[in-house]
Every structure is written in C-alpha cells, then in structure tokens.
Amino acid sequence: MSSHSVDEILAKRFRIDRPPTLVARKYPRTHFAFSRMRCGDAMRGRSMAVPPEAAYSFHVPMTAPFFSDLWTGGRRKAIPNARLGDVFLFDLSENPRVALDTPFDSMRFYVPQAVLDEIANEEGTPRIQRLEAREFGGHDPIMYGFAQTLAGAMAYADHCSAMFCDHIALALFAHIAPVYGGMTVNEYTRGALAPWQLRRAYEFIEENLGANPSISEVAKQCALSSSYFSGAFKRASGFSPHRWLTKRRLERAKNLMLESNLTLAQIAQTCGFVDQSHFSRFFLKSEGYSPGRWRRLSRC
C-alpha cells in the first residue's frame, strides 16, 4: 500500500480532498499509515460504508470539534466532545461510520492487525488479540505528541525519510501494545550491536546515502529485527539510525563542497536530499549558514 492509495481511499470515504499521508515501510505487504484528515465545512450524511477489515484506526483531533455521531456494528453511539489530547480508537472490523455534519481536523493512525502480528513475532512476544480503549475519547498525551510530530513532518512530506516513518511506527507500537493491547512490558535490558553489526550498518548507510534506506533494510544487514536494531544501534553509536543518516549526509555534503566543483543541486542529489531547497534549509538549520555562504567562507 502506498501513501497515494491511502489518501485516495480516505478522500472518497470521508468526501474530502486527498489528505497528506505518510506510510511506514515496515513490511512489504501491509503498513502503518498516518493521514491528516481535514474538512472546514459541515456536510450532510455519513462517511461511506466500507468492507470490514482486520485493522484499527486511532483518530487524534488536532482542533475541536470532532465527529458528532458514530455508527459501529450497525448501532449508533454518541461521540463525546473532543478535547485536545483525546484519542478515539475505531475497530475497522465493525465498519465504523461517522456523521459529517461538523468540520473536523484529525490525525488518523492506520494500524493493521497483520503488522501487530509481525512485530510481536519479531519480538517473541504474545500476539495482541485486540486493541481496546478504557474509554472512548480518553486522554493520551503521547498519541497527541505523535500527531503533532507528524503534522510538522507533513508540512514537508516529500522530505521525510523512510527511516523517520519507521521510527514513528516502532514508537507507536511500543506505546499502543501495553496501553491498548494489554501486552506486558518486558523488563529485560537489551544490548548494543556487536562490532561487526555496527560496522556493517555504517557501511550500508554510507553506501545508500543517496537513496532512502529504511530501518528494516539496514536491520536485515545485521540479521536483526527492526525494533531490536533501532535501540541497539543507538546504544552502540549514540545516535538513532535516522539521526546517523542525516549526520552522514551532511558530512558528505561538506566534503563535496570543499573538494569538488559540483553545484549545490548536484551535491543535494548525491547526498540523498530531495532537492537543493531541502538541502539548503537543512544545512542552514544545522550550521547557521546557507550552503553557498559556508562554501565561500570555508574556501577562503
């Protein structure tokens, strides 16, 4: 599933423009997906009925109000007034439909059961049988924090790396598994990567700076699961995989600016930035100078 197919489905289902969507490439056949759904006008009727599926969606209101009524399993259920920081969990096997008679703005987290099963299998933990909320519309500041982070990322959706989306997916699982899935948090301490694993991870990232490697692709080089690898890499290197990738892209860009006559656009492409504009913004934020000025000053 791609972000393009997700936004098309949601646009049709909720009668809205295509929502900005990010997809975590955690597994090849099914993924977590994050979409910001907005409509500034009240409409008549309900959201479209869809075939039930083994999946869940969390809706985190970004503003108030929220949807006013819910029909699930053929029964009507009133939705409480939403406060910022509230989270609403929908079981998509029950074909939930909502009234569209109020404006809405929410971040939607799409969580297929298949992904929950895959991660539990990787971790050697019991399968999560069902996600449930203690109260419909309960307060969850961590989910609200995820939503705010994703909203900021969606402002530059084309610039989000696969590693960034994978990090959000793994962090999301770590939160919802015990809070909504009833999974007991393991109390054992994990180790760091072995020297050969860290070296191979460095090499793979270095070889793919110009591409968009995902955490699962790097973890595969170390014969580890994505979730184990992410924490073990940080314990061994002091950086998250995503942070290490951006650090190395910046360092390579600096070397190319000093040692070559490549244009800034060529350097941006070589180092894996989306374009020169993306490279310039990132460089300015990190170094306090535009790439062009830094190059001139460094060559003096």
Side-chain angles (χ1 to χ4, degrees):
M1 182 186 295
S2 67
S3 59
H4 182 71
S5 59
V6 173
D7 62 28
E8 280 191 334
I9 292 170
L10 292 178
K12 183 177 181 180
R13 186 178 302 174
F14 291 90
R15 294 153 53 189
I16 57 176
D17 294 334
R18 286 182 179 176
T21 297
L22 298 175
V23 171
R25 302 185 311 185
K26 184 71 180 66
Y27 296 99
R29 293 185 179 179
T30 185
H31 312 276
F32 288 136
F34 318 112
S35 305
R36 185 165 187 181
M37 299 170 43
R38 285 178 282 193
C39 181
D41 300 314
M43 296 180 284
R44 293 183 178 180
R46 310 174 187 177
S47 57
M48 185 179 74
V50 295
E53 60 175 314
Y56 303 88
S57 65
F58 290 87
H59 284 257
V60 181
M62 304 300 290
T63 61
F66 188 51
F67 301 119
S68 61
D69 282 303
L70 165 68
W71 289 263
T72 180
R75 296 182 179 181
R76 180 180 177 276
K77 180 178 181 179
I79 297 180
N81 292 330
R83 305 162 298 167
L84 292 183
D86 286 350
V87 174
F88 297 84
L89 172 60
F90 296 86
D91 184 343
L92 300 185
S93 69
E94 298 177 345
N95 186 20
R97 303 174 68 189
V98 293
L100 302 175
D101 57 352
T102 58
F104 56 88
D105 180 1
S106 69
M107 190 67 67
R108 178 184 188 263
F109 297 74
Y110 173 69
V111 181
Q113 182 67 49
V115 175
L116 298 177
D117 294 346
E118 287 285 354
I119 298 178
N121 182 60
E122 277 189 350
E123 295 299 291
T125 58
R127 177 177 179 270
I128 295 174
Q129 298 294 328
R130 180 179 175 82
L131 295 182
E132 294 181 299
R134 292 181 180 178
E135 58 178 319
F136 189 61
H139 203 61
D140 188 335
I142 294 177
M143 288 293 289
Y144 184 60
F146 285 148
Q148 290 178 306
T149 298
L150 287 164
M154 286 173 180
Y156 301 101
D158 292 339
H159 301 165
C160 289
S161 70
M163 280 192 182
F164 172 83
C165 293
D166 286 351
H167 271 299
I168 294 293
L170 292 172
L172 176 65
F173 177 83
H175 175 62
I176 66 175
V179 176
Y180 299 94
M183 182 182 289
T184 301
V185 179
N186 293 321
E187 296 297 335
Y188 62 86
T189 301
R190 293 181 162 186
L193 297 180
W196 76 266
Q197 292 172 316
L198 184 61
R199 182 173 61 253
R200 182 60 193 128
Y202 282 159
E203 291 171 350
F204 185 80
I205 290 173
E206 200 71 23
E207 293 163 2
N208 291 276
L209 287 182
N212 191 21
S214 66
I215 288 178
S216 59
E217 289 170 338
V218 187
K220 186 176 180 180
Q221 303 298 312
C222 302
L224 294 172
S225 69
S226 302
S227 50
Y228 185 97
F229 168 79
S230 185
F233 182 93
K234 186 170 184 178
R235 283 187 286 274
S237 68
F239 295 88
S240 69
H242 172 67
R243 180 62 185 140
W244 182 261
L245 174 68
T246 56
K247 177 177 180 292
R248 289 300 303 139
R249 281 175 170 167
L250 183 63
E251 290 171 353
R252 177 178 285 188
K254 286 181 175 180
N255 289 336
L256 290 174
M257 284 193 288
L258 291 176
E259 300 171 3
S260 77
N261 292 318
L262 293 175
T263 66
L264 294 180
Q266 290 171 324
I267 291 173
Q269 182 178 16
T270 300
C271 296
F273 295 97
V274 175
D275 51 31
Q276 184 177 336
S277 175
H278 176 214
F279 170 49
S280 295
R281 284 197 301 272
F282 181 84
F283 195 95
L284 178 63
K285 183 177 180 180
S286 175
E287 302 300 309
Y289 294 96
S290 68
R293 187 180 180 193
W294 185 92
R295 191 179 212 176
R296 290 191 298 273
L297 292 173
S298 298
R299 285 182 167 182
C300 290

